[in-house]
Amino acid sequence: MTTIEAPKGATRRNTVGRAVALVLATLLAPQVARAQDKGTLNPQPLPPLAKPDDPATPAKELFGRKSAPANLQTRTIGFYSKGCLAGGVALPINGATWQVMRLSRNRNWGHPNLVQFLERLAAQAPKTGWHGLLVGDMSQPRGGPMLTGHASHQVGLDADIWLTPMPNRELTREEREEMSATMIVAEDRLDVDPQVWTPAHLAVIRAAAKDPQVARIFVNAAIKKALCRDAGTDRGWLGKVQPWWGHDFHFHVRLICPSDSAECTPQPPRPADDGCGQELAYWFTDAVLHPRPGPAAKPKPGPKMADLPAACRQVLLAP
């Protein structure tokens, strides 16, 4: 998940806007978090790096090898797609109304505000008709860039919540690693699948968006269309919900910067409207729905430590 804003308004839905969309689609496709990516029942530690102190070593190789949080004062550092997490805490893998998925990834870490938000939303979910949460990726123990799946989720304030309600039993380890989330979007990508979409989907997303700690929720454009159509007169929360590529199996919640984190860079504010007009229409233009194939993007090594806030080196090296 990246944090670049989608083009908005009629003036951006011109030739230049379409070209930008195509470039973004090409560049960002490998970074989209996929709820269908399976885990493993036998995770193996990564081999030691030959030159961990080499300035050219990608930061993801360093943070991806940290299996425990930094023993430092809790704070988020930097921006959601360019930062790290000090003093992270783990969401317990089981709760009365939530279960963590893909345990082998060790990505159920976050700022305490994120853990508290997920527990709060999970407790509220059954009241909305949603039995409970299946929680996907949050952050690594020390945040930072990930080896796979996300460009964001670096500061402990992002979480993926599956668009599949928790079953009324504890999932097995094998199920947590291998079961698939539910595809919500119709095959033509123009709307949600009416055989799958329910009022409870709207209700749980609305409950999340109404939480004052939430800065943004990312969903597939077809899901945003359904939310706009079904929300009724209670529409103030819709402005927090932003369409983005992917996100047809889960919704991505992003929290505001915590009060204890002066080094946290906030998410740019959304427009004041509900986002159900021209901004949403852009996502259903032919250039976005049917981009012309371009040359395959070469994998990028990602940021180096020098590209992250200076405090992230302390986080990386802390016991």
Side-chain angles (χ1 to χ4, degrees):
M1 176 67 228
T2 71
T3 52
I4 303 171
E5 290 289 339
K8 297 182 281 289
T11 58
R12 296 190 182 184
R13 294 198 310 276
N14 52 22
T15 303
V16 174
R18 293 182 181 214
V20 170
L22 293 178
V23 171
L24 284 173
T26 301
L27 293 178
L28 301 182
Q31 302 288 358
V32 173
R34 294 175 293 272
Q36 302 300 0
D37 288 350
K38 294 182 179 180
T40 176
L41 292 171
N42 187 30
Q44 299 296 316
L46 295 169
L49 293 170
K51 298 180 179 180
D53 297 326
D54 187 339
T57 300
K60 64 183 179 181
E61 297 288 350
L62 302 170
F63 280 96
R65 283 168 166 78
K66 295 296 184 180
S67 60
N71 186 21
L72 296 169
Q73 179 181 349
T74 298
R75 68 194 195 278
T76 65
I77 300 164
F79 190 62
Y80 304 89
S81 58
K82 192 177 182 180
C84 58
L85 171 66
V89 297
L91 176 70
I93 65 171
N94 289 318
T97 49
W98 79 83
Q99 296 183 48
V100 174
M101 306 300 288
R102 305 300 192 253
L103 301 180
S104 61
R105 295 180 184 173
N106 193 28
R107 293 178 179 176
N108 59 313
W109 298 82
H111 187 279
N113 285 11
L114 181 62
V115 172
Q116 292 164 13
F117 162 77
L118 290 168
E119 292 175 343
R120 189 163 63 244
L121 180 63
Q124 188 178 357
K127 303 172 186 177
T128 71
W130 195 259
H131 184 262
L133 307 183
L134 295 181
V135 180
D137 286 353
M138 295 164 56
S139 292
Q140 299 176 130
R142 303 186 188 205
M146 294 182 178
L147 287 166
T148 60
H150 303 277
S152 62
H153 290 250
Q154 293 191 28
V155 296
L157 297 175
D158 294 281
D160 291 341
I161 300 173
W162 284 26
L163 287 165
T164 306
M166 188 187 83
N168 58 1
R169 61 178 177 83
E170 183 177 333
L171 294 169
T172 67
R173 176 61 188 276
E174 182 175 5
E175 287 173 318
R176 293 184 194 230
E177 299 294 347
E178 298 186 357
M179 72 176 280
S180 296
T182 304
M183 165 59 88
I184 300 298
V185 179
E187 187 174 351
D188 63 8
R189 316 297 292 172
L190 295 175
D191 211 325
V192 293
D193 184 343
Q195 302 300 315
V196 178
W197 181 255
T198 69
H201 285 91
L202 181 149
V204 72
I205 296 173
R206 177 173 56 202
K210 285 190 169 187
D211 192 293
Q213 290 293 308
V214 171
R216 192 71 47 88
I217 293 178
F218 299 96
V219 297
N220 183 279
I223 296 173
K224 172 76 176 191
K225 178 191 281 188
L227 296 174
C228 290
R229 181 177 59 234
D230 300 343
T233 58
D234 180 13
R235 307 185 69 81
W237 56 276
L238 282 167
K240 289 185 181 181
V241 183
Q242 179 179 346
W244 201 252
W245 283 278
H247 299 88
D248 40 15
F249 295 90
H250 70 274
F251 65 99
H252 175 162
V253 177
R254 172 167 294 169
L255 300 193
I256 62 175
C257 283
S259 59
D260 62 11
S261 301
E263 298 159 285
C264 178
T265 303
Q267 180 79 35
R270 291 277 297 152
D273 64 7
D274 62 11
C276 295
Q278 292 182 339
E279 177 187 355
L280 180 59
Y282 160 82
W283 289 90
F284 296 97
T285 58
D286 188 65
V288 176
L289 286 176
H290 306 106
R292 295 177 182 177
K298 295 181 179 179
K300 295 185 176 182
K304 314 294 190 297
M305 286 302 300
D307 299 319
L308 300 181
C312 288
R313 183 167 294 279
Q314 179 191 20
V315 171
L316 184 69
L317 299 177

